[in-house]
Amino acid sequence: MDRDILHQRLVSYAHWAAASQGFRFGTGAEADIDNIAQHAIDTMFGASVPKRMTPRHQAMMAQAEAALSALVAAMIEARGRNREYAMSHPNEIGEWTLGEAKAKLCPIFPIC
């Protein structure tokens, strides 16, 4: 399996998790999500990504997706607690909400 494919799978999943709740990532958070997905791949697989995904590897990817879902949910929750942010960033979750979510959740394997 290609590292870039796994990375893109996690990034796409995070975007889906946000979009399914009616949100999109702000520009800064977009780059951060990309870095978080890369960190997850590095944490789970190290330097060598397996050529074939075993059930164990598939379970690790599912765990990473669940962690990203929790992160997105926490970002949305943080947005709801800050009316000024929500008003100035309609339908957006960004760097501020990501910081709040990470403060609440981390450490959460394998994303942080």
Side-chain angles (χ1 to χ4, degrees):
M1 180 71 34
D2 184 85
R3 178 178 292 280
D4 291 336
I5 291 171
L6 295 176
H7 172 254
Q8 189 55 47
R9 174 178 160 182
L10 294 181
V11 170
S12 295
Y13 185 86
H15 281 272
W16 172 84
S20 71
Q21 300 296 314
F23 294 96
R24 60 180 161 58
F25 293 112
T27 305
E30 178 110 24
D32 291 336
I33 291 296
D34 189 77
N35 290 334
I36 287 168
Q38 189 61 58
H39 175 79
I41 296 300
D42 293 344
T43 299
M44 292 185 298
F45 299 111
S48 60
V49 173
K51 292 187 189 282
R52 292 187 184 172
M53 294 293 282
T54 66
R56 180 177 154 265
H57 297 123
Q58 291 170 1
M60 288 191 309
M61 288 297 289
Q63 186 175 7
E65 289 170 345
L68 286 168
S69 286
L71 186 70
V72 168
M75 290 173 76
I76 293 167
E77 179 186 311
R79 184 183 182 279
R81 291 192 313 266
N82 186 330
R83 183 177 176 176
E84 184 178 318
Y85 181 90
M87 298 285 286
S88 63
H89 299 85
N91 301 323
E92 183 178 292
I93 48 179
E95 291 175 291
W96 180 81
T97 61
L98 179 59
E100 293 290 304
K102 287 174 76 174
K104 177 181 178 180
L105 296 175
C106 293
I108 182 173
F109 181 82
I111 62 172
C112 56

